[in-house]
Amino acid sequence: MPSVTRNPRGTSGRREAVEQDVFDSVAGLLAAGESFTSLGVQRIAEAAGIARTTFYGHFADKPTLLIRMTEAVSPDLFSTAEAWVAEGGGRESLTETVAGLVAAYRRHAPLLRALVEVAGYEPQVQAYWHARIELFADSLRARLERDREGSASPSNPYIASLIAWGTERSIAVQVADRPPAEDAAFADGIASAIWATMRPV
């Protein structure tokens, strides 16, 4: 029986619908080749079918919008890799995990290009993406420490950052510059490099 205290068509539902319309409209403009930097708030509002004042009722500014859009797709971008780390996945499943990351990046390529574009000049966006990648690096760092317990070679805390940032940048270049037909070989190569870096010496 539905709760009488929650109306899915109430203010909260309408707010979410407006925000999703904005997300979808911006995603469409980016996919069509628009630069996020060149998109004005008025253009975004018109594409979403809302007033400029309505836009500012939902988003403080364009960087906030970009961050919120990225947060909305973050589970698709990170959940598989985070599960692999948390569950102690091995080499056998690592290629599949990297392949999943590449596929997710391809699904959200226009948005991620915009994120990198804006992070180059907008500290708020740069800080957000840095924190998000480092959050994954922290989980990987904890796993490396567990994996190397009792080893004569203790875990180097910088290895996790190397893997996290190196993988993120390598995938971005793969998606931007190379065809999907090369993704399988790329995923296997990156997985081999990650696994070799993670192993105790």
Side-chain angles (χ1 to χ4, degrees):
M1 177 179 177
S3 169
V4 296
T5 61
R6 182 178 180 183
N7 182 357
R9 296 185 179 181
T11 302
S12 177
R14 288 196 299 272
R15 184 175 185 84
E16 290 174 1
V18 168
E19 292 178 0
Q20 190 60 55
D21 285 344
V22 174
F23 290 174
D24 293 344
S25 298
V26 173
L29 291 167
L30 294 175
E34 296 277 2
S35 161
F36 188 83
T37 299
S38 68
L39 285 176
V41 169
Q42 185 63 38
R43 176 84 183 280
I44 294 171
E46 288 173 355
I50 61 173
R52 181 186 177 93
T53 53
T54 302
F55 174 92
Y56 283 114
H58 290 260
F59 308 99
D61 49 30
K62 282 175 54 185
T64 299
L65 166 61
L66 185 58
I67 290 171
R68 298 254 302 272
M69 289 181 68
T70 308
E71 287 177 337
V73 302
S74 282
D76 192 31
L77 293 171
F78 291 97
S79 61
T80 301
E82 289 173 339
W84 182 86
V85 171
E87 295 165 8
R91 175 64 183 89
E92 300 77 12
S93 57
L94 184 52
T95 294
E96 183 179 350
T97 298
V98 176
L101 285 171
V102 177
Y105 263 67
R106 287 204 182 276
R107 284 193 293 275
H108 304 293
L111 173 61
L112 294 172
R113 282 196 297 270
L115 187 75
V116 172
E117 169 196 341
V118 177
Y121 62 82
E122 176 51 62
Q124 178 186 358
V125 175
Q126 182 184 62
Y128 162 75
W129 193 235
H130 183 274
R132 189 60 189 84
I133 298 296
E134 281 299 318
L135 182 64
F136 174 71
D138 286 343
S139 65
L140 183 56
R141 195 171 290 116
R143 169 166 174 180
L144 289 171
E145 291 174 356
R146 293 194 302 270
D147 288 353
R148 298 197 180 194
E149 285 179 1
S151 170
S153 175
S155 175
N156 185 320
Y158 297 103
I159 289 176
S161 289
L162 170 66
I163 293 172
W165 284 104
T167 301
E168 189 272 342
R169 285 292 82 206
S170 295
I171 292 176
V173 170
Q174 172 69 14
V175 170
D177 297 346
R178 302 187 184 98
E182 297 183 12
D183 287 353
F186 168 83
D188 189 59
I190 292 294
S192 294
I194 292 172
W195 192 250
T197 304
M198 289 179 64
R199 294 302 82 203
V201 295

